[in-house]
C-alpha cells in the first residue's frame, strides 16, 4: 500500500519567489519517490530594491503580500502536509527584512525564515544527488542566485566544504560586485579543488536550467565547457531585446543570463572542470527533502 503526502517549499530569492509543491510517495521496502507536482515562479526582483536602496520597497512588499496570499491558497488546495518558506540574500540584507517578514506573517499567515548563506548551502546539499555524486568522483556544486552563489565540494560521496559568496546575478547587472569578490571566489575554488585530479561541476538555478533547455541535450547528459563558452559569447553579442525576441527568453531572464553564465564558466575554469551537469534541483528541493526527513524523524519518536 502506498503512503502519499504533499510538501511545499517557498524560496524567496533576490530575483524571483518560487513555490514548489512536491508529492512524496512511499512504499515499504523502497526508497521514497519525490515528484514535482507544481512550480509557480513570480519575478519579484527584491534584489533590485535591497542591493541599491538597502530595503524592500512598499511596492514590492505589496507584491510579496499578494504572492504569499496566492501561495497560501494553492497550498490549501493541494492539502499539503507541511511547508517551509525560506528567504535568502535579499531579505537577510534588507534593513527592514525582519519587519517585512513579520508583516507578511500577520497579513498572510506565511511564516518566513530568513536564512544565512551557510544554511542555504546546507539545505541545498540535502538534495538527492546520489545518481550523480558517486563514491569515486569529485564534484563542485554551484548554485547561482540573484544575490549570492553557493559552492560545495563533494568528494568520495561526502560533502567536503561549502561557502557562500555575495556574487549574484542581480548584484552584477547593477554593477555592485567588485573585482575583489571574483578574486575571493577564484581563490576559494582553486584552494579547495587543487588536490583532485578530475572534477565535474554540478549547476543549479533557473539560469543554468534555461541554458540546458537551449542545448537540447538529453536529460542526464552534461554540458561541455566548450558549449557553455560558445553560449556565453552568443548571449553577450545580443542586446537585451534581441535575447527576448530572438532567443525567446523571459524578460526577467534575458538580463541575468549573461552574468550567470559567466559565473558557471568561471567555476569550471578555476576548478579545471570539462563538464557541467544540470539535475534541475535547488533550494526548494532541499527544503522539501528536509521537511520529509524531519517528519520521518518525528514519526520514529512517536513509535
Amino acid at each position: 500500500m502506498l503512503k502519499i503526502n504533499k510538501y511545499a517549499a517557498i524560496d524567496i530569492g533576490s530575483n524571483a519567489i518560487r513555490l514548489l509543491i512536491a508529492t512524496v510517495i512511499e512504499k515499504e521496502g523502497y526508497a521514497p519517490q519525490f515528484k514535482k507536482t507544481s512550480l509557480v515562479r513570480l519575478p519579484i526582483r527584491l534584489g533590485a530594491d535591497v542591493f541599491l536602496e538597502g530595503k524592500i520597497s512598499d511596492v514590492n512588499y505589496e507584491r510579496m503580500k499578494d504572492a504569499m496570499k496566492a501561495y497560501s491558497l494553492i497550498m490549501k488546495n493541494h492539502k499539503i502536509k507541511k511547508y517551509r518558506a525560506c528567504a535568502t540574500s535579499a531579505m537577510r540584507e534588507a534593513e527592514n527584512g525582519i519587519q517585512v517578514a513579520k508583516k507578511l506573517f500577520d497579513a498572510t499567515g506565511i511564516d518566513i525564515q530568513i536564512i544565512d548563506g551557510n544554511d542555504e548551502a546546507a539545505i541545498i546539499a540535502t538534495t538527492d544527488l546520489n545518481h550523480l555524486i558517486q563514491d569515486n568522483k569529485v564534484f563542485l556544486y554551484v548554485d547561482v542566485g540573484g544575490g549570492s552563489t553557493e559552492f560545495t565540494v563533494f568528494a568520495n560521496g561526502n560533502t567536503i566544504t561549502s561557502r557562500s559568496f555575495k556574487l549574484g546575478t542581480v548584484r552584477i547587472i547593477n554593477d555592485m560586485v567588485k573585482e575583489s569578490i571574483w578574486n575571493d571566489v577564484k581563490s576559494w575554488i582553486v584552494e579547495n579543488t587543487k588536490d583532485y585530479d578530475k572534477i565535474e561541476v554540478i549547476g543549479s538555478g533557473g539560469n543554468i536550467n534555461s541554458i540546458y533547455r537551449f542545448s537540447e541535450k538529453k536529460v542526464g547528459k552534461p554540458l561541455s565547457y566548450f558549449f557553455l563558452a560558445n553560449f556565453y559569447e552568443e548571449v553577450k553579442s545580443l542586446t537585451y531585446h534581441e535575447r527576448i525576441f530572438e532567443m525567446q527568453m523571459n524578460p526577467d531572464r534575458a538580463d541575468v543570463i549573461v552574468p550567470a553564465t559567466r559565473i558557471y564558466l568561471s567555476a569550471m575554469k578555476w576548478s579545471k572542470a570539462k563538464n557541467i551537469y544540470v539535475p534541475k534541483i535547488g533550494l526548494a528541493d532541499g527544503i522539501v527533502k528536509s521537511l520529509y526527513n524531519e517528519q520521518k524523524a518525528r514519526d520514529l519518536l512517536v513509535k
Side-chain angles (χ1 to χ4, degrees):
M1 187 172 178
L2 299 181
K3 185 178 180 182
I4 302 172
N5 286 298
K6 289 181 181 179
Y7 295 83
I10 300 175
D11 171 7
I12 303 171
S14 303
N15 191 40
I17 298 177
R18 300 171 182 84
L19 167 67
L20 171 65
I21 305 288
T23 302
V24 183
I25 303 169
E26 297 176 273
K27 184 176 181 179
E28 191 171 347
Y30 294 84
Q33 295 179 2
F34 291 78
K35 294 185 178 293
K36 294 184 182 183
T37 303
S38 176
L39 178 63
V40 182
R41 178 183 182 276
L42 296 173
I44 303 172
R45 193 165 281 182
L46 297 180
D49 281 348
V50 177
F51 305 145
L52 292 174
E53 305 296 333
K55 62 181 182 179
I56 296 168
S57 66
D58 291 340
V59 170
N60 270 347
Y61 165 74
E62 291 297 327
R63 295 177 73 199
M64 289 182 73
K65 183 171 72 174
D66 288 343
M68 294 303 112
K69 286 180 178 178
Y71 286 174
S72 179
L73 289 172
I74 292 171
M75 290 191 293
K76 180 181 178 181
N77 192 273
H78 276 279
K79 298 180 180 179
I80 64 157
K81 187 176 185 68
K82 195 172 181 62
Y83 83 92
R84 179 167 294 149
C86 292
T88 56
S89 186
M91 278 195 75
R92 67 176 170 248
E93 291 184 35
E95 62 184 47
N96 61 343
I98 294 175
Q99 178 187 357
V100 165
K102 185 179 185 305
K103 285 175 65 179
L104 287 170
F105 177 73
D106 292 340
T108 70
I110 299 292
D111 185 15
I112 297 171
Q113 300 174 13
I114 300 175
I115 61 175
D116 65 24
N118 292 328
D119 288 337
E120 189 174 350
I123 292 171
I124 292 169
T126 67
T127 53
D128 190 5
L129 294 171
N130 293 334
H131 63 294
L132 280 179
I133 301 173
Q134 301 165 20
D135 289 345
N136 60 342
K137 289 189 176 183
V138 180
F139 291 95
L140 173 64
Y141 187 100
V142 183
D143 182 63
V144 176
S148 63
T149 296
E150 280 64 48
F151 299 90
T152 304
V153 176
F154 294 99
N156 303 317
N158 297 309
T159 301
I160 304 302
T161 185
S162 64
R163 177 84 181 270
S164 177
F165 290 90
K166 291 182 179 180
L167 181 68
T169 57
V170 177
R171 288 186 200 273
I172 293 172
I173 63 174
N174 285 289
D175 198 27
M176 299 187 67
V177 176
K178 296 179 180 178
E179 195 62 29
S180 59
I181 294 291
W182 287 99
N183 291 334
D184 288 345
V185 173
K186 178 181 179 180
S187 297
W188 188 88
I189 291 175
V190 170
E191 178 63 29
N192 288 282
T193 61
K194 66 181 181 180
D195 295 331
Y196 304 106
D197 293 330
K198 184 181 178 182
I199 290 180
E200 308 283 12
V201 168
I202 298 172
S204 73
N207 289 290
I208 195 66
N209 292 341
S210 180
I211 295 168
Y212 198 79
R213 285 193 293 271
F214 277 106
S215 76
E216 297 184 345
K217 285 271 188 181
K218 290 183 178 179
V219 175
K221 297 293 183 182
L223 302 178
S224 68
Y225 181 89
F226 179 75
F227 170 85
L228 204 59
N230 284 337
F231 180 86
Y232 183 53
E233 292 303 319
E234 180 183 1
V235 294
K236 266 204 316 178
S237 70
L238 299 175
T239 66
Y240 170 70
H241 289 105
E242 285 172 339
R243 289 177 214 132
I244 294 172
F245 187 77
E246 295 180 19
M247 301 186 76
Q248 299 180 13
M249 289 186 181
N250 290 329
D252 65 300
R253 181 69 65 206
D255 53 355
V256 294
I257 194 79
V258 176
T261 309
R262 181 186 172 190
I263 294 172
Y264 291 114
L265 265 179
S266 298
M268 294 180 75
K269 179 181 178 181
W270 297 331
S271 63
K272 299 180 180 179
K274 294 181 180 179
N275 295 301
I276 179 169
Y277 289 85
V278 186
K280 295 186 178 181
I281 55 175
L283 180 64
D285 301 271
I287 293 171
V288 167
K289 192 72 179 290
S290 63
L291 285 172
Y292 170 76
N293 289 337
E294 289 168 12
Q295 184 62 50
K296 294 302 290 183
R298 281 192 293 270
D299 291 345
L300 287 173
L301 286 175
V302 171
K303 290 179 181 180

